[in-house]
Amino acid sequence: MDLFSEDEKKELIEVFNGLDEEGVGELQTSDIDIALELVGCKQKPHKVFKIISEIDPYNTGVININTFAKLVYSIRYAGLNDDNQDMIDAFVAVGGNEDTSGKVDADKLIEIIKKEFELTIDIEGLIKEIDADGSGEIEFNEFFDLLKTDLSEGKDNYDLE
C-alpha cells in the first residue's frame, strides 16, 4: 500500500533532488530543516536537532530519499509534528516540566488515569511497556509514546524509488 499520493511523491522527490547538490541520492542532514519547510513540515530548531539524531544515529551526515519520506510521513500523519502543545500541557499537568524535561511518577499517572478519568484500560501494563528503564518515572518521550496514536503502525512502504 502506497503511503503517499502521486502528487506527494512528486513533491518529495523534487524537494529531495533539489537539495541533493551532488546528485548522489543523499540529502545532507544539515539541510533537513530546509527540506521539511519546503514540504510544509517546518519544525523548531530544537526539534530539527532531535530529528537528525534519530534519523542519523551513526552521524553519517546524510540520509536517502526513503528515510526522508519516512520522516515526512511521521511528521504529517503519525503525530510527530511540532504542534504537540496539548501533549506538553498534559505532561506538565501530571508533574513534568514545560521544556519536556523532568519526569512523571508512574504511580501518580496510574492514579490519575484510573481515579480521575475512570478509564478501565490496563494502564499498569502499558506503563510497564513504555518505561524502558523500569524506573517508575515516565520521561516525556515515554509519556508521548504512551498517549500517542501511531497511524503508521504496520505501514512501512516508504519507497519512493
Side-chain angles (χ1 to χ4, degrees):
M1 176 162 117
D2 287 333
L3 299 176
F4 295 103
S5 69
E6 289 304 314
D7 287 341
E8 289 174 316
K9 286 180 185 179
K10 183 178 177 186
E11 175 191 32
L12 294 176
I13 291 168
E14 285 177 2
V15 167
F16 186 91
N17 288 341
L19 293 171
D20 178 12
E21 295 172 5
E22 297 177 21
V24 294
E26 295 177 333
L27 180 65
Q28 299 294 313
T29 55
S30 58
D31 292 331
I32 294 292
D33 58 339
I34 296 166
L36 290 174
E37 185 171 356
L38 290 172
V39 297
C41 296
K42 184 174 174 66
Q43 302 290 297
K44 293 180 182 173
H46 73 277
K47 183 73 171 182
V48 172
F49 180 76
K50 184 175 187 286
I51 288 169
I52 291 170
S53 69
E54 290 172 0
I55 63 173
D56 186 22
Y58 300 109
N59 245 354
T60 64
V62 295
I63 61 168
N64 65 29
I65 184 78
N66 295 326
T67 301
F68 178 61
K70 183 176 183 176
L71 172 61
V72 170
Y73 182 87
S74 294
I75 291 170
R76 284 185 179 170
Y77 306 111
L80 297 181
N81 61 30
D82 207 31
D83 187 21
N84 290 321
Q85 193 59 48
D86 288 342
M87 191 72 75
I88 294 169
D89 291 345
F91 184 68
V92 171
V94 293
N97 298 327
E98 181 72 30
D99 66 355
T100 70
S101 67
K103 299 175 183 180
V104 173
D105 180 68
D107 291 332
K108 179 179 180 182
L109 187 57
I110 291 167
E111 182 179 334
I112 290 169
I113 289 173
K114 285 186 166 187
K115 300 254 187 322
E116 292 185 32
F117 292 105
E118 299 180 353
L119 297 177
T120 58
I121 60 173
D122 178 19
I123 189 62
E124 291 92 347
L126 293 172
I127 287 177
K128 185 176 179 182
E129 284 180 31
I130 59 111
D131 186 14
D133 60 4
S135 66
E137 296 177 318
I138 309 301
E139 296 165 2
F140 181 76
N141 64 326
E142 295 169 331
F143 185 82
F144 185 90
D145 288 343
L146 178 68
L147 298 180
K148 77 175 182 175
T149 301
D150 189 356
L151 299 177
S152 66
E153 192 171 300
K155 299 178 182 178
D156 58 2
N157 186 6
Y158 301 100
D159 188 4
L160 296 183
E161 301 176 288

